[in-house]
Every structure is written in structure tokens, then in C-alpha cells.
Amino acid sequence: MASNPDFSLALSLIFAAAVLLQWLLRTWLISRQVRHVAQHRAAVPAAFAHRISLAAHQKAADYTLAKAKVSLIDITLSAAVLLCWTLLGGLDWLNHWLLGFIDPGLGQQLALLASFAVISALIELPLSLYQTFKLEQRFGFNQMTLSLWLGDLLKSTLVGAIIGLPLAALILWLMGATGPLWWLWAWAVWTGFNLLLMWIFPSFIAPLFNKFQPLADEGLKSRVTQLMERCGFAAKGLFVMDGSRRSAHANAYFTGFGNSKRVVFFDTLLKQLSPDEVEAVLAHELGHFKHKHITKRMVMMFGVSLLGFGLLGWLSQQPWFYSGLGVTIIESKYLGVPADNNAAALLLFMLAVPVFSFFVTPLMSAMSRRDEFEADAYAMQQADGAQLASALLKLYEDNASTLTPDPWYVSFYYSHPPAVDRLARMPAPAGSL
């Protein structure tokens, strides 16, 4: 296949410009967030002065500012690494290096995917360690020991390899064996895999990392069960997860698919909230179920992935796609052995798509915030709205979430509405002035 040099150059320029624009936009948004939070650090917003102390407000501001500084390092490192993998030839070098001692074929293709994953993880490792053992430790959230962290890393690597390598092998085989419509078969496999993962995750994967105990509080169990019956939600069980082993952050969530659905409470959540507040938080989560937000997102995800696989199916046949992103096409015969470029196509697509899809982030965030408002409204119909407001205030305080985010930053990134917007739609919490 001969590459069109004009198309290759155009793709290289467009990609480089998109990477630069993304970096500039993300840096600008973080800078706005830093300035806005710092300017409002000195005083608690009037809407929260009756419930949030100045010390808690300033802790949230300092936590937000510290995370922002790490984010600036992260986005700069990510942009540099991305350019190294693509336009500067890192992926091309790795591919040819592996071909130097592994014969072309499925084994070499899998080796390329695995090597890329390992190298990427090693690059991200120092910043991950810093975030866990410095930043989170500094603000009192980290509960992990180094041995637990290493154990999680080992288990997640093994699980990723056991699940990911066979899936990658199947997709690579489909790319080479099923003709021009391979992408449709690959999409079907990907969709089936995600549905299967939703079913097996609660019962087989999550317990590898956390302990799940049945909810022992009979009073709370009765309230939660009655709430779910009113909402028409059936779950396999109510469980408490030992989230405090790793973090002081609190949460609750639904997990599973079909008859494997279960409700999971972090132990930290149950310690921080009263039974009335727990019921209100769960009613919010049930609001997502009632409005079919999760189902709609799944359908949208599968639809977008279908378009993505179709685009990949076309791009993988265009020589300029490879050369424009810094990869030399391996001819059909390499050292006398049949070769292909399928793994390189997958990796280039995975690297390039987030650069362009980043610019639709505000739309996705706005849709998510709309869903959160709908879930809040449903929760106030099924439980005490004042208790929901009280629970949210406690969670904002305990998780050190800033009450004064920058509006532009919110519009771009926030999947949940800011506290002031959510609470403005709720009854005042008990004890408010």
C-alpha cells in the first residue's frame, strides 16, 4: 500500500494542532479553577455558612488547588508521551524492535499491545504513587499501606492480562480473518464482553479487591428494602464494602446486571450519614434507575462504539493513517513471513480518538448534570429532601469538595452539578438558619 504524502502530512498537522489545542484548553481551565477557588478561600459562601466551617472550606480549597497542580503535570506529561508514541515514532520503534526477535503474527501483535500497556503503566506509576501517598495522605484521605497498594497493582495486572489478552487476541483474529466487515464482528464481541463483565464483576472481580459483607443494620435494611419496593427495584443483596481500607472518601452505588444487581454501601458512608440520609442518597441512586439513565448511557456507549469500530475499519485500510501518526506500515511479507498492522491500527486509534473526542466533553458533562438533577428530583419524591440536602452537605465536607468551583471549569468537566445549584432545588437541611 502506497501512502498519500499529502494526506499523511495533513493528518500529522491536524493531530499536532489538536494535541496542542487540547493542552492549552485544559491548562486554561485548570488555571481558571485555581484562581477562582483561591479567590474565594478566605470566606465560606453565604449559602453554606450555617453548616460548613471555615476550616473545612479552606481544607476543600487547598485540596482542590493541590489536585489542580498535579493535574497540570499530568496533562503536560500525557501530551508529551502521546507525541512520543505517535509523531516522534515511539510506537513504530517498539513495533520494529519486537519484530527483531518475535516472528510476525498474532504473538508479535499481542506482544506489541502488552508492551505498550506495560510501558504506559510504568510512565504513569510515579504520579500515581505521589497522588496516593503524598497528596491524599496530606489531606487525610489515604488509608492504604504500600503493601496493599502493591497487592492491588499485582491483582489488577493479572486480572487485566487474563481478561484483556484473550479479548485482544480474538479481535486481532477477527481483523485478519473475517474480511472487510471485521469491525462489525469485533463490535459485537466488544458489546458482548462489556455485558458479560457487568454480570461477572460484582461476584468474581470486585471481591478480589474488597470485602463485601451483608448489611447488618436491620433497621436500615428494612428502610432500604421498603424504599426499593416502592421504587420497583429488585437487587440480589445489600452489601457493605470495606472502602475505609483504602480511602476516607465515601460512596454508594449499584453494580451488576440482570439478576446480579446489588446495592453497595461504603463503610465510610454508613459512618458519616444517619439512616434518614442514607435512605435519601439511595433514593437518588434509584432515580437513575427509574429514569433509565444507566440503560440510556449503555445504549449510547454501544452506539458510539459501533461508529468507532466502523471508523477504525476504514482507517486501518488507509496507509496515510499510519504514516500520518508516525508508524511505518509493515509490508505483507516481513523477512519472508506474512505480517499485518492490526495491533498498530488499534493502538493508533486508541491514542488519537481521545484527542478529538475531548472537545465534546462539555456536552457529555451537561447531559450527566441533567441526569443528576432528575435523580435528585426523584429522590425528593421518595424520601425526605431535607435529608438529601443534609447528606450532600456532609459528603461535600467529608470529601473536601470545593463549594466555589469556576463556572467554566464546571461547564466543561463536572458530571455532577455544583453544591450551590443542587441545594438550591432542595428543602433546607435541618438546623439551617
Side-chain angles (χ1 to χ4, degrees), residues 76-151:
T76 301
L77 176 63
S78 296
V81 169
L82 176 61
L83 292 174
C84 287
W85 276 124
T86 54
L87 301 184
L88 297 179
L91 184 60
D92 189 57
W93 176 87
L94 179 61
N95 193 27
H96 283 82
W97 179 72
L98 289 170
L99 283 166
F101 57 90
I102 302 178
D103 289 339
L106 183 59
Q108 189 271 339
Q109 298 279 289
L110 287 173
L112 178 61
L113 295 178
S115 299
F116 172 85
V118 170
I119 294 170
S120 298
L122 290 174
I123 292 172
E124 296 168 0
L125 191 61
L127 200 57
S128 175
L129 281 167
Y130 177 84
Q131 288 175 314
T132 300
F133 292 103
K134 289 294 184 180
L135 194 152
E136 294 290 307
Q137 190 85 26
R138 172 186 166 191
F139 289 93
F141 292 123
N142 178 50
Q143 306 292 331
M144 296 184 72
T145 62
L146 182 59
S147 61
L148 179 59
W149 187 89
L150 290 171

Side-chain angles (χ1 to χ4, degrees), residues 183-372:
W183 56 270
L184 193 56
W185 292 102
W187 172 78
V189 168
W190 175 253
T191 301
F193 165 75
N194 278 278
L195 292 174
L196 177 64
L197 190 61
M198 291 177 63
W199 180 67
I200 66 173
F201 179 84
S203 300
F204 300 102
I205 298 178
L208 296 174
F209 298 89
N210 290 97
K211 292 181 180 179
F212 294 84
Q213 301 290 339
L215 179 62
D217 186 329
E218 291 298 330
L220 180 58
K221 183 188 297 185
S222 176
R223 296 182 64 155
V224 167
T225 301
Q226 292 175 29
L227 172 65
M228 291 194 298
E229 289 175 351
R230 293 199 305 272
C231 298
F233 183 86
K236 187 177 181 180
L238 308 174
F239 295 89
V240 179
M241 189 187 87
D242 60 340
S244 58
R245 289 184 66 211
R246 291 170 173 79
S247 174
H249 292 299
N251 200 2
Y253 64 93
F254 295 124
T255 185
F257 183 71
N259 60 8
S260 71
K261 292 195 297 288
R262 56 175 63 184
V263 179
V264 177
F265 301 98
F266 281 36
D267 55 357
T268 46
L269 183 83
L270 299 183
K271 292 177 182 176
Q272 293 169 4
L273 303 185
S274 70
D276 287 334
E277 291 166 341
V278 171
E279 181 182 19
V281 169
L282 183 60
H284 169 90
E285 298 300 328
L286 288 168
H288 290 302
F289 160 75
K290 197 67 177 181
H291 287 287
K292 296 181 170 57
H293 293 154
I294 297 172
T295 301
K296 291 175 182 177
R297 290 178 191 178
M298 285 175 55
V299 171
M300 183 175 67
M301 179 188 75
F302 292 146
V304 170
S305 65
L306 176 60
L307 294 175
F309 272 104
L311 179 60
L312 174 59
W314 177 69
L315 288 174
S316 64
Q317 301 303 311
Q318 311 306 315
W320 50 264
F321 172 64
Y322 300 89
S323 55
L325 294 177
V327 169
T328 304
I329 294 176
I330 306 299
E331 297 300 331
S332 59
K333 293 284 186 178
Y334 186 90
L335 300 178
V337 181
D340 60 54
N341 304 280
N342 294 334
L346 284 175
L347 290 173
L348 287 177
F349 192 75
M350 290 166 52
L351 289 167
V353 165
V355 175
F356 298 100
S357 63
F358 170 77
F359 298 101
V360 301
T361 301
L363 175 61
M364 303 305 295
S365 297
M367 292 171 61
S368 179
R369 291 194 299 272
R370 178 202 63 195
D371 291 349
E372 294 301 324

Side-chain angles (χ1 to χ4, degrees), residues 41-58:
R41 182 182 182 278
V44 180
F48 305 101
H50 59 282
R51 288 291 298 267
I52 303 296
S53 68
L54 178 61
H57 172 68
Q58 292 182 335

